[in-house]
Amino acid sequence: MACLTFCYVFLLVNVIPSVQAGRDAGFGVGNVTIREDASVGSTVKHLRDFLNVGGGLMEEENGTSWSVNITSGNDLGRFEVVVENLTLIVAAPLDYEYNPRYNLSLELKNTGDNSVWHVNLAIVITDVWGYPPYYSKQCETPVIPDTGTAENYVVLSSHNGHYNVKINNGKEAQYNDFFPYFRHKSRYAIINDCYFRWCFALTIMWNDLDALRPALEAPQNGGRIEFKCHDKELRSVGKFMFLDVSKQMLPEWAQDSRCSMTEGVNYVVVVEMNDLRSTSSYWTQCSANVTFHDNTYPVDFIFQYDITGCSEGRYGLYCDKYCVCKNGARCHGFNGACECRPGWRGRACDIPWPEVVIIASPGDSVVKYIGTNLTLTCLAPHIQVASMTWIHEAENYYNDTKIIKEALGAVQNSSINFQPVSESDNAGYTCVVKAVNGEVINAIFTLNATKCRPNYHGEGCSQVCDCEYGGTCDRWEGCLCPPGRRGDRCQHECAPGTFGRDCRLRCYCENNALCDPVNGSCICAEGQSGEFCQNSSSPEKNQVVVVVLSSVIPTIVLIACIITGVLVKRSRRRQRAEQPTADLEMTPFIENLSSWEIDKEDIHLEHMIGEGEFGHVVRARLRVPEGYQVLVAAKSIRPDRMTASAVRDFRREMDILARIHEDKEGHPNVVKFYGVLTKSDPQYILVEYAANEELRRYLWGLREQYRVTGQRKLLERLGFACDVACGLAELARLKIVHRDIAARNVVISDRMVAKIADFGLSRDVYASSAYKRTNQGGEEELLPLKWMAVESLRDGVYTCESDVWSYGVLLWEIASFGEEPRYAGSPMHPDVCTLLELLKKGVRLRQPENCPLPVYRIIRSCWIVDPSKRPTPEVLLQKIEQLRPPRHAAHLVNHGMTWQ
Ligand SMILES: *[C@@H]1O[C@H](CO)[C@@H](O)[C@H](O)[C@H]1NC(C)=O
Ligand SMILES: *[C@@H]1O[C@H](CO)[C@@H](O)[C@H](O)[C@H]1NC(C)=O
Ligand SMILES: *[C@@H]1O[C@H](CO)[C@@H](O)[C@H](O)[C@H]1NC(C)=O
Ligand SMILES: *[C@@H]1O[C@H](CO)[C@@H](O)[C@H](O)[C@H]1NC(C)=O
Ligand SMILES: *[C@@H]1O[C@H](CO)[C@@H](O)[C@H](O)[C@H]1NC(C)=O
Ligand SMILES: *[C@@H]1O[C@H](CO)[C@@H](O)[C@H](O)[C@H]1NC(C)=O
Ligand SMILES: *[C@@H]1O[C@H](CO)[C@@H](O)[C@H](O)[C@H]1NC(C)=O
Ligand SMILES: *[C@@H]1O[C@H](CO)[C@@H](O)[C@H](O)[C@H]1NC(C)=O
């Protein structure tokens, strides 16, 4: 079709015999395709082609000159005609995205005979991959002052002009940077975005690199040595290679240029860096194991690059290319990409673009911070403005929209200021521009400042953190200190006796031994040993230490309890009339204890193993009816503490133990009861002697193992949890309330079975940190506040359900390897009011580290405020059993847990 038109036109021309002055001489139609990356000045079309068609009729005569006008279609002057040789050339950078096609109409006037030619030319722009170049902020380069020596610059060069090489970890040797060396050898370089590709060819290995030649020639290396490059954080940043081109292929990107190889070239150095940065100086180490002859040595190249930048208007590795950026656009030093100012678009930012834009200043960061000054400026370049209005749109429950600033007339900009930004400023800010022609154009800026700028904290982000010792700055907390540190700026070490993050943990060291503030390990003084420095070789101290510590090892059962699941109130601070209490004075000791009476002859007391405020515990041997002896713990009231309430508690323990052991066998998860000595003075309660330590200390041991071996022993720990749940179910069945379920009151038997015990009167011996004295209402009393249910704290009510709450705390202790429970935002030992306040607010102990979520869910279910909604011990048992793998399943991953 095009051809037909063409022929037809020239046929016409042919037919007109005489050409009149100023008259149409002919008409040409053509089309041409051109790449969008065609450089300015490159030829689009020789216009003479149009004149010569048609059998040479219109051949140019000597002396003829032409005047040429592009009469339409040349938007923004992308093209122009060179009259001397009648050539249409590119006059300004093209950009497929902004105009993929131009329909030019041209008039060519022959000044000799005044004949005029008309030519219509369709110019189709083709899209070129990777063009126009992308302006990457990440590797933006500085613009350096033009000192007239721009030719000497390299946009990327080794620091001080050197790089270092280290062979076999020996001394670093210094060599001259090779970039400048190749400046005039026109080697091949691509710098795009923040990638850098470069290679150069060598006929022989070049001076400094000659040392590598034997390795490159060694057959086992196959003509290739590759160095992998990383930065100081060991992130990979690229590589470089030495290649023997007779044995190795060039990388694909280098094949076009062949790295400027000439005849006789043997070696090529190929550099591929993937992550250039704007930082003015950065360090890279490139390493390889290189085999020379038969030995392999590590070889390291250490570069420190300076991103030096080019002078104004130049870009490229050697700053040898000219920027095309117009209208104040910034030119990227690596690839010449232009960063357009508002109102301009296109490859060269020379296409006017009517738009409304909001500019934030300072604009160096995408994130806007609370507490910093911010100015938003609305601009409307290339628009004839009638009005400019700022609207504030807060998205909250009443969708608050209001005009905050309005400017009428031909304003070009309008600004709003935040001095400083506060969180309540967060909203959408819309700039509405009404043009003279009635058109309305909007731009919106969403302010979402949620953070303080680095190193600031506080509500208004006005306080400086300046954390020391690696502390991190938190908006609300200020400095978060690393383990072992505390203070506003982490300037203090943990106080003696505390350790860990924010010094929240208490040390477990005995004998006044110091503990490591970071990890809590005990630092024993001379003569002390053991994990907690519990062993001391000093004979004088020995006595005391044994008494204090050994109380932990054996076991005594003592169960505080109450019949029918109603409560017992230990303190008298409430009016009896308030509750239907079965208070102790009124509880008849219905049990006939005579069947539990032990013959004094059958018991042989050994040494004291525990002493408390109210009682003594002695290890003893008991001859049982079967004829052999068993070890028992014999508990008595301290003669100097023989108060009425102590006697009452003592009697109650006997009673409850007897009730649990009605069938003499007792329960496997409750410490076994052997009998009482009531006819002696003092009186004794005899219970099973637990060979192993109490659960809490056992957990500390597991924690130590975990730290060393990484073994979590979750299975074993859940086993203990099951044991205790089982024992608790038994107590519930007997309608016995324990009131002090906690890891310290659970012992591990020699068969590794956990049993509920209660040190009752001697609890204060070793658990002074866990019990809090209360003296409300007069009577002083020690209560395990952090284990107590909310209703026990508030009303003094103890039920089987409140035991389930305590069981939840015990599970938490198991999950956290015996950590001391601590509520976030409260002291280590809060008082009743503080604790109640926290619990009412819904605060609970946090999920321990490495505690699987299903376990924590079970823990949390124990801490439901409504007692009736808490799981029963049976349900707990069932849930925990579900988490345990079936027998013999060695590696089971279940509920997101790995079993170790
Ligand atoms: C341009 O030329 C191509 C082939 O040379 C043809 O297919 C196309 O139709 C032409 N377009 C115009 C506008 O003449
Ligand atoms: C034009 O001039 C050249 C030399 O300048 C000459 O060789 C040629 O014959 C002339 N052509 C005509 C058509 O006069
Ligand atoms: C036409 O002339 C211009 C300017 O003198 C020159 O740059 C261009 O290369 C010439 N084109 C041809 C095809 O000779
Ligand atoms: C081209 O345009 C200029 C002014 O725009 C005019 O003076 C000149 O005569 C025109 N030439 C042709 C060939 O149309
Ligand atoms: C060199 O070899 C050593 C030992 O085999 C290895 O640890 C190291 O990662 C190797 N280095 C490189 C850069 O491959
Ligand atoms: C507020 O705006 C949101 C989103 O535009 C909309 O979903 C919501 O219904 C609006 N609320 C009121 C009260 O208009
Ligand atoms: C913010 O603006 C206020 C008021 O103009 C000025 O006093 C203060 O110094 C500014 N703050 C900063 C960080 O520039
Ligand atoms: C604000 O930023 C926060 C995170 O910084 C993000 O979670 C939230 O969705 C953002 N809100 C809006 C409205 O963009």
Side-chain angles (χ1 to χ4, degrees):
M1 192 54 211
C3 175
L4 275 184
T5 316
F6 216 68
C7 301
Y8 177 66
V9 167
F10 286 100
L11 196 63
L12 268 182
V13 169
N14 263 332
V15 178
I16 302 168
S18 66
V19 178
Q20 291 170 351
R23 289 283 187 80
D24 280 355
F27 186 70
V29 181
N31 76 19
V32 60
T33 299
I34 183 166
R35 289 161 62 97
E36 63 171 337
D37 62 351
S39 59
V40 169
S42 57
T43 301
V44 180
K45 188 81 184 159
H46 298 295
L47 297 176
R48 212 176 288 274
D49 294 352
F50 294 109
L51 308 177
N52 285 339
V53 181
L57 177 81
M58 286 300 156
E59 232 169 308
E60 188 186 353
E61 285 161 28
N62 284 356
T64 303
S65 70
W66 294 87
S67 109
V68 184
N69 270 8
I70 304 176
T71 51
S72 76
N74 190 16
D75 291 348
L76 308 166
R78 298 290 107 175
F79 303 98
E80 66 186 27
V81 176
V82 178
V83 186
E84 300 90 75
N85 53 17
L86 284 185
T87 305
L88 183 70
I89 61 166
V90 175
L94 304 173
D95 193 328
Y96 174 83
E97 192 187 335
Y98 292 101
N99 201 346
R101 185 190 170 98
Y102 294 83
N103 292 319
L104 296 191
S105 300
L106 300 105
E107 274 180 17
L108 292 82
K109 192 169 178 179
N110 185 328
T111 52
D113 62 6
N114 271 350
S115 61
V116 177
W117 285 82
H118 294 273
V119 172
N120 283 352
L121 186 61
I123 301 172
V124 175
I125 313 295
T126 54
D127 197 5
V128 175
W129 191 84
Y131 185 92
Y134 174 71
Y135 192 98
S136 173
K137 281 271 188 197
Q138 184 197 306
C139 51
E140 198 171 58
T141 62
V143 176
I144 53 176
D146 191 351
T147 57
T149 53
E151 299 73 36
N152 296 332
Y153 287 117
V154 180
V155 75
L156 171 85
S157 54
S158 291
H159 194 59
N160 299 333
H162 298 125
Y163 65 92
N164 292 351
V165 180
K166 205 165 63 172
I167 296 183
N168 203 12
N169 296 316
K171 208 166 151 285
E172 287 181 16
Q174 203 169 59
Y175 295 98
N176 289 331
D177 182 16
F178 43 72
F179 286 130
Y181 178 83
F182 289 103
R183 166 184 296 276
H184 298 295
K185 309 211 162 184
S186 66
R187 304 299 161 172
Y188 185 71
I190 316 173
I191 306 176
N192 208 353
D193 298 355
C194 301
Y195 283 62
F196 174 55
R197 299 281 180 268
W198 193 59
C199 63
F200 59 88
L202 301 161
T203 35
I204 48 159
M205 286 304 268
W206 165 57
N207 328 352
D208 299 340
L209 302 179
D210 209 38
L212 288 171
R213 193 211 303 234
L216 203 49
E217 285 169 356
Q220 60 268 52
N221 289 327
R224 173 193 176 97
I225 310 173
E226 180 175 314
F227 289 78
K228 291 207 178 340
C229 305
H230 60 83
D231 64 10
K232 281 204 163 123
E233 281 82 48
L234 298 180
R235 288 183 316 143
S236 164
V237 294
K239 62 182 177 189
F240 77 90
M241 294 171 283
F242 294 90
L243 301 180
D244 177 341
V245 288
S246 63
K247 296 177 187 154
Q248 289 282 339
M249 292 271 288
L250 285 174
E252 203 174 328
W253 60 263
Q255 281 171 8
D256 284 353
S257 77
R258 310 281 303 145
C259 302
S260 302
M261 274 191 283
T262 52
E263 272 310 304
V265 160
N266 293 327
Y267 306 117
V268 169
V269 178
V270 171
V271 179
E272 300 187 354
M273 303 299 284
N274 295 337
D275 195 19
L276 298 183
R277 300 264 159 171
S278 306
T279 46
S280 60
S281 185
Y282 73 93
W283 183 95
T284 296
Q285 177 165 353
C286 303
S287 317
N289 288 326
V290 181
T291 305
F292 298 93
H293 310 296
D294 287 328
N295 296 318
T296 299
Y297 302 109
V299 177
D300 300 290
F301 280 72
I302 297 142
F303 300 97
Q304 188 159 358
Y305 288 116
D306 287 343
I307 304 287
T308 35
C310 298
S311 59
E312 182 97 41
R314 303 284 200 108
Y315 75 96
L317 178 63
Y318 294 116
C319 299
D320 51 349
K321 296 182 181 166
Y322 292 91
C323 294
V324 297
C325 309
K326 297 280 183 346
N327 297 305
R330 185 171 174 154
C331 172
H332 203 291
F334 284 165
N335 60 9
C338 304
E339 189 187 39
C340 297
R341 303 272 285 271
W344 300 100
R345 297 280 171 93
R347 161 70 183 102
C349 303
D350 58 350
I351 300 172
W353 204 261
E355 61 183 341
V356 175
V357 288
I358 296 173
I359 296 180
S361 63
D364 42 350
S365 156
V366 183
V367 184
K368 303 298 170 210
Y369 297 110
I370 296 163
T372 58
N373 288 348
L374 175 70
T375 300
L376 298 182
T377 304
C378 181
L379 297 174
H382 309 300
I383 295 175
Q384 277 197 291
V385 179
S387 74
M388 204 178 259
T389 311
W390 278 101
I391 296 176
H392 170 279
E393 287 169 280
E395 205 180 286
N396 48 32
Y397 60 92
Y398 51 92
N399 286 357
D400 175 16
T401 298
K402 57 178 188 250
I403 292 178
I404 48 175
K405 190 169 183 181
E406 189 156 33
L408 299 174
V411 279
Q412 286 312 311
N413 61 62
S414 169
S415 300
I416 51 176
N417 296 306
F418 303 88
Q419 283 174 338
V421 173
S422 81
E423 215 160 3
S424 60
D425 293 326
N426 285 343
Y429 293 89
T430 307
C431 175
V432 181
V433 171
K434 217 174 252 167
V436 169
N437 64 10
E439 205 182 340
V440 176
I441 309 168
N442 288 350
I444 183 157
F445 182 93
T446 305
L447 181 61
N448 185 16
T450 53
K451 289 188 198 137
C452 300
R453 78 196 118 137
N455 199 32
Y456 281 79
H457 73 108
E459 174 71 41
C461 296
S462 52
Q463 286 147 277
V464 177
C465 268
D466 281 343
C467 309
E468 294 168 18
Y469 299 96
T472 53
C473 186
D474 178 88
R475 162 104 192 261
W476 302 110
E477 306 269 336
C479 289
L480 298 178
C481 301
R485 291 255 146 213
R486 66 192 170 84
D488 294 346
R489 289 180 290 112
C490 309
Q491 68 273 43
H492 302 303
E493 222 183 30
C494 288
T498 62
F499 74 100
R501 195 167 278 284
D502 285 335
C503 308
R504 284 198 197 150
L505 301 173
R506 276 179 57 92
C507 297
Y508 306 113
C509 310
E510 313 268 353
N511 296 320
N512 297 324
L514 294 176
C515 91
D516 182 319
V518 173
N519 60 21
S521 61
C522 299
I523 303 158
C524 299
E526 210 172 308
Q528 296 176 342
S529 64
E531 190 189 352
F532 306 103
C533 306
Q534 66 271 42
N535 308 323
S536 168
S537 57
S538 153
E540 272 91 59
K541 283 182 191 158
N542 209 10
Q543 210 78 5
V544 183
V545 170
V546 167
V547 169
V548 172
L549 282 175
S550 54
S551 68
V552 171
I553 295 159
T555 298
I556 310 277
V557 175
L558 229 282
I559 304 229
C561 157
I562 239 352
I563 328 225
T564 67
V566 194
L567 58 113
V568 166
K569 277 197 78 275
R570 190 180 256 201
S571 76
R572 300 203 190 98
R573 71 185 124 103
R574 299 191 127 245
Q575 296 285 314
R576 255 175 234 152
E578 267 179 57
Q579 323 222 5
T581 59
D583 211 336
L584 277 166
E585 286 93 331
M586 310 195 314
T587 309
F589 291 107
I590 36 147
E591 297 296 328
N592 181 359
L593 286 171
S594 63
S595 66
W596 286 99
E597 195 67 38
I598 301 279
D599 191 339
K600 209 171 175 213
E601 300 301 312
D602 288 333
I603 188 97
H604 172 67
L605 297 173
E606 293 183 341
H607 54 87
M608 192 189 288
I609 50 179
E611 184 183 45
E613 195 168 346
F614 300 101
H616 282 154
V617 181
V618 174
R619 193 172 93 158
R621 288 176 191 280
L622 172 70
R623 191 167 334 115
V624 289
E626 289 80 358
Y628 55 87
Q629 288 194 332
V630 290
L631 276 177
V632 296
K635 181 175 173 179
S636 61
I637 305 174
R638 268 170 72 161
D640 56 338
R641 292 285 196 283
M642 196 65 75
T643 63
S645 72
V647 171
R648 190 182 59 214
D649 285 354
F650 193 70
R651 293 285 301 182
R652 187 175 55 196
E653 284 176 15
M654 288 184 180
D655 179 46
I656 287 161
L657 283 168
R659 278 164 43 75
I660 295 171
H661 291 80
E662 239 155 22
D663 57 0
K664 293 277 173 190
E665 277 310 306
H667 188 272
N669 300 114
V670 175
V671 169
K672 192 167 164 60
F673 178 47
Y674 282 100
V676 295
L677 255 75
T678 58
K679 304 205 168 96
S680 65
D681 186 22
Q683 300 186 342
Y684 288 103
I685 296 173
L686 306 177
V687 294
E688 172 180 2
Y689 178 90
N692 278 301
E693 51 203 352
E694 45 144 311
L695 174 60
R696 193 160 64 128
R697 274 176 188 273
Y698 190 82
L699 290 169
W700 293 346
L702 289 185
R703 170 167 49 193
E704 195 51 39
Q705 281 180 29
Y706 170 55
R707 207 165 0 186
V708 176
T709 65
Q711 291 272 304
R712 293 194 294 165
K713 299 278 175 102
L714 192 57
L715 199 53
E716 184 178 347
R717 288 186 285 146
L718 284 179
F720 295 145
C722 281
D723 290 348
V724 179
C726 229
L728 207 55
E730 171 70 0
L731 297 186
R733 188 181 70 79
L734 296 169
K735 300 205 185 332
I736 289 171
V737 179
H738 184 283
R739 305 209 309 180
D740 198 3
I741 296 292
R744 62 181 169 273
N745 288 337
V746 170
V747 294
I748 313 289
S749 77
D750 51 358
R751 296 180 160 193
M752 303 308 288
V753 174
K755 300 182 177 222
I756 299 176
D758 180 8
F759 288 83
L761 302 179
S762 61
R763 61 169 56 139
D764 55 310
V765 171
Y766 52 91
S768 54
S769 66
Y771 292 84
K772 184 86 183 167
R773 275 175 195 279
T774 65
N775 53 5
Q776 279 176 315
E779 188 171 342
E780 197 171 61
E781 169 164 55
L782 293 166
L783 291 173
L785 295 184
K786 283 184 286 184
W787 280 259
M788 282 165 66
V790 66
E791 69 273 14
S792 312
L793 289 165
R794 193 182 52 219
D795 301 317
V797 173
Y798 296 89
T799 59
C800 291
E801 286 81 18
S802 64
D803 274 352
V804 166
W805 179 296
S806 308
Y807 177 79
V809 182
L810 178 143
L811 260 187
W812 185 94
E813 290 178 277
I814 290 178
S816 65
F817 291 102
E819 211 177 297
E820 172 87 6
R822 175 167 186 177
Y823 287 90
S826 95
M828 183 55 101
H829 302 300
D831 58 31
V832 183
C833 296
T834 311
L835 199 52
L836 260 177
E837 207 54 45
L838 283 173
L839 293 176
K840 276 192 206 147
K841 273 196 259 168
V843 177
R844 297 289 185 269
L845 294 171
R846 57 169 176 74
Q847 181 173 358
E849 256 176 50
N850 295 317
C851 169
L853 192 58
V855 174
Y856 188 59
R857 285 213 188 95
I858 297 174
I859 295 176
R860 287 302 293 255
S861 69
C862 298
W863 300 334
I864 297 170
V865 172
D866 180 351
S868 66
K869 297 226 172 87
R870 292 175 205 151
T872 61
E874 284 84 357
V875 170
L876 285 168
L877 185 60
Q878 200 185 339
K879 282 189 180 169
I880 299 168
E881 285 287 4
Q882 277 168 11
L883 298 182
R884 304 174 73 191
R887 259 178 231 192
H888 310 305
H891 294 289
L892 197 87
V893 178
N894 193 9
H895 303 281
M897 287 183 276
T898 43
W899 302 91
Q900 296 177 348

